[in-house]
């Protein structure tokens, strides 16, 4: 930075010369002018931090000069150097905030220097405050900008994540479906059985008013309820005649085998017990398996699935019989309500069959994953 500059304005040349002499060694650039107009012209060429003006001068008074400097160079520090006779004018000017300090003639050399030093410091301080204000204003703007950007980014990312999550859930359900279809394919008579049990069970869940995530669990459990049949011999599963007691024991293993197959799959952990208990009897009698649980200790999805499973099986053709009519199915449900089935689940199923009739057991229906998972 160039050396600090001070401009003295006085119509007495001797005073200007004396001031120049006095300040020769201070390291300041000392500018002088005889009158107001000259001072203004000079300042356009040589900017100064401090101006010190006499009051009584021809053409333009000191107060007039300083107020026009205030307009053109607002940052400049303005002072007056004046005799006692012009004191009143100078005091007025100070009171109006025009002037930083007043120096009286004749001046004390050291005081004058000290006052000038203060004026330069004052200028530097004001400048620094202005600079800091500017910096903080710019930083604020930048921060606002960053905030806006960040909000947008977070919104975009959240949307992308939600979409990815949705894709993953759909892929997950499709994978489970493929597995269920593989199980059903072991026997041409049970093709589509698992999907339909899942659909019937999910409709029951909705009718009961279960929360969405539980309905999803009910559907998935329905899809997977017979997955353990993978571990049962095909000859037993596809046997068209009555099963021997030994063969029946073999079939009865499928809920346990299913639970064992699903056990290691972490994201199916809440489905495992639903699969394991889908052949328990509500009254806890020995015909239920594998654990002879009773009542509410049987998971609700299992109690739902056993009803859905029974309706699906009874209404489908088998090698040894045709699918049953709905009224016969309803009679069976009522007959076993409270023993094999949870009466509440039977009521829900009867309501659905009443409302939907034969369309409830349509063979080609599939669970609409996209509609269901739509957020
Ligand atoms: Fe089963
Ligand atoms: Fe089944």
């Amino acid at each position: 930075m160039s050396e600090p500059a001070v401009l003295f304005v006085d119509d007495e040349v001797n005073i200007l010369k004396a001031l120049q002499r006095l300040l020769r060694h201070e390291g300041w650039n000392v500018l002088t002018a005889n009158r107001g107009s000259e001072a203004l012209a000079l300042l356009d060429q040589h900017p100064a931090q401090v101006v010190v003006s006499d009051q009584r001068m021809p053409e333009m008074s000191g107060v007039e000069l300083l107020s026009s400097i205030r307009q053109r160079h607002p940052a400049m520090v303005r002072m007056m150097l004046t005799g006692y006779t012009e004191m009143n004018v100078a005091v007025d000017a100070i009171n109006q905030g025009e002037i930083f300090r007043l120096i009286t003639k004749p001046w004390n050399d050291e005081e004058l220097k000290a006052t000038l030093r203060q004026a330069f410091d004052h200028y530097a301080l004001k400048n620094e405050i202005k600079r800091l204000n500017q910096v903080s204003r710019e930083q604020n703007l930048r921060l606002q900008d960053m905030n806006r950007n960040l909000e947008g980014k977070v919104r975009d990312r959240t949307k992308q994540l939600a979409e990815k999550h949705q894709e993953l859930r759909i892929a997950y359900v499709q994978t489970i479906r493929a597995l269920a279809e593989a199980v059903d394919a072991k026997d041409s008579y049970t093709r589509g059985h698992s999907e339909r049990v899942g659909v019937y069970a999910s409709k029951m869940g909705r009718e009961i008013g279960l929360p969405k995530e539980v309905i999803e669990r009910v559907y998935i459990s329905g899809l997977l309820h017979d997955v353990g049949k993978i571990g049962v011999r095909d000859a037993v599963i596809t046997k068209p005649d009555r099963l021997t007691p030994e063969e029946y024991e073999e079939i009865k293993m499928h809920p346990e085998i299913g639970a064992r197959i699903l056990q290691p799959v972490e994201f199916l952990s809440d489905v495992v017990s639903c699969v394991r208990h889908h052949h328990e009897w509500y009254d806890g009698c020995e015909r239920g398996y594998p654990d002879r649980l009773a009542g509410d200790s049987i998971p609700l999805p299992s109690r739902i699935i056993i009803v859905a499973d029974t309706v699906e099986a009874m209404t489908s053709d088998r090698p040894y019989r045709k699918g049953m009519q709905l009224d016969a199915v309803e009679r069976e449900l009522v007959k076993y309500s409270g023993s094999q089935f949870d009466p509440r689940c039977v009521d829900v199923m009867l309501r659905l069959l009443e409302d939907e009739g034969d369309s409830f057991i349509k063979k080609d229906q599939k669970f609409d994953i996209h509609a269901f998972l739509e957020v």
Side-chain angles (χ1 to χ4, degrees):
M1 223 170 101
S2 57
E3 55 188 5
V6 51
L7 168 64
F8 289 100
V9 191
D10 203 306
D11 56 338
E12 286 180 54
V13 180
N14 286 339
I15 289 192
L16 294 176
K17 278 187 179 156
L19 287 165
Q20 258 170 335
R21 243 191 334 273
L22 173 67
L23 304 174
R24 209 168 26 206
H25 302 301
E26 293 299 319
W28 300 328
N29 185 13
V30 179
L31 308 166
T32 57
N34 285 123
R35 63 195 70 207
S37 54
E38 192 188 329
L40 291 173
L42 188 66
L43 284 177
D44 288 340
Q45 309 291 321
H46 305 278
Q49 289 80 25
V50 179
V51 59
V52 183
S53 175
D54 183 24
Q55 161 59 8
R56 201 163 46 193
M57 296 181 292
E59 291 170 23
M60 192 188 286
S61 75
V63 171
E64 284 169 337
L65 169 65
L66 290 179
S67 86
S68 85
I69 287 177
R70 189 190 190 187
Q71 303 264 316
R72 298 178 192 207
H73 311 281
M76 265 181 94
V77 180
R78 297 170 303 276
M79 297 201 286
M80 281 199 113
L81 178 61
T82 180
Y84 281 107
T85 45
E86 295 117 27
M87 205 54 140
N88 286 345
V89 181
V91 169
D92 279 354
I94 290 180
N95 286 343
Q96 286 161 23
E98 300 280 336
I99 287 173
F100 172 65
R101 289 273 195 289
L102 174 67
I103 308 164
T104 48
K105 291 179 194 170
W107 64 82
N108 169 301
D109 286 354
E110 287 317 306
E111 260 177 42
L112 177 72
K113 284 183 199 170
T115 307
L116 281 170
R117 251 175 250 125
Q118 280 175 14
F120 283 121
D121 286 350
H122 183 70
Y123 178 89
L125 198 67
K126 262 174 49 183
N127 232 13
E128 185 60 9
I129 289 170
K130 201 170 136 198
R131 192 185 67 82
L132 287 175
N133 276 336
Q134 178 65 22
V135 167
S136 85
R137 236 190 330 270
E138 279 167 10
Q139 278 177 346
N140 264 337
L141 285 175
R142 253 204 306 278
L143 269 176
Q144 279 172 12
D145 221 46
M146 278 165 67
N147 257 336
R148 262 196 300 278
N149 269 331
L150 205 64
E151 278 167 22
K153 265 194 193 130
V154 169
R155 242 194 327 273
D156 287 354
R157 281 290 149 83
T158 310
K159 191 162 162 258
Q160 282 171 10
L161 266 179
E163 282 166 6
K164 280 277 162 236
H165 180 73
Q166 175 91 336
E167 279 171 33
L168 268 176
R169 309 240 7 114
I170 289 170
Y172 150 78
V173 175
Q174 282 167 339
T175 308
I176 294 171
R177 259 185 186 164
L179 181 60
E181 273 169 32
V183 175
D184 293 346
K186 284 184 80 154
D187 179 356
S188 60
Y189 279 94
T190 56
R191 181 151 302 143
H193 168 72
S194 299
E195 176 72 30
R196 282 191 297 276
V197 170
V199 172
Y200 298 174
S202 68
K203 283 185 181 175
M204 291 171 71
R206 203 167 304 151
E207 181 72 19
I208 294 171
L210 296 178
K212 222 171 174 185
E213 64 274 11
V214 181
I215 296 178
E216 191 184 321
R217 191 187 318 153
V218 166
Y219 170 66
I220 301 288
S221 303
L223 271 183
L224 291 173
H225 74 285
D226 278 341
V227 75
K229 285 190 177 167
I230 284 179
V232 177
R233 285 184 299 131
D234 288 8
V236 178
I237 286 175
T238 55
K239 190 174 175 188
D241 319 312
R242 269 193 110 64
L243 299 175
T244 66
E246 295 73 34
E247 286 165 342
Y248 187 55
E249 286 307 309
E250 234 180 282
I251 278 276
K252 275 168 71 179
M253 290 302 291
H254 78 271
E256 278 172 274
I257 298 172
R260 229 180 301 134
I261 289 171
L262 301 177
Q263 192 77 57
V265 186
E266 206 174 304
F267 63 80
L268 291 174
S269 58
D270 44 8
V271 167
V272 174
S273 67
C274 308
V275 169
R276 182 178 173 94
H277 299 299
H278 79 274
H279 282 292
E280 306 283 4
W281 276 46
Y282 187 70
D283 62 4
C285 79
E286 75 282 353
R287 295 177 69 181
Y289 55 88
D291 298 314
R292 288 187 53 193
L293 297 184
D296 289 353
S297 52
I298 305 167
L300 178 59
S302 310
R303 281 179 269 146
I304 292 175
I305 285 163
I306 194 171
V307 173
D309 192 16
T310 306
V311 169
E312 205 294 320
M314 287 192 295
T315 52
S316 299
D317 294 340
R318 287 293 181 262
Y320 43 89
R321 61 152 172 81
K322 291 290 283 174
M324 288 159 65
Q325 294 300 306
L326 277 190
D327 50 351
V329 171
E330 287 168 4
R331 277 197 300 279
E332 280 294 294
L333 290 177
V334 172
K335 185 174 164 193
Y336 287 97
S337 177
S339 55
Q340 188 177 9
F341 309 127
D342 179 346
R344 280 162 299 179
C345 295
V346 171
D347 288 348
V348 166
M349 180 54 95
L350 291 176
R351 236 179 9 246
L352 286 168
L353 293 176
E354 185 92 347
D355 289 349
E356 295 188 28
D358 281 324
S359 69
F360 184 86
I361 50 166
K362 265 207 327 263
K363 291 297 165 208
D364 56 351
Q365 55 186 325
K366 275 202 159 197
F367 186 74
D368 188 350
I369 322 169
H370 290 83
F372 186 77
L373 292 180
E374 208 100 305
V375 206

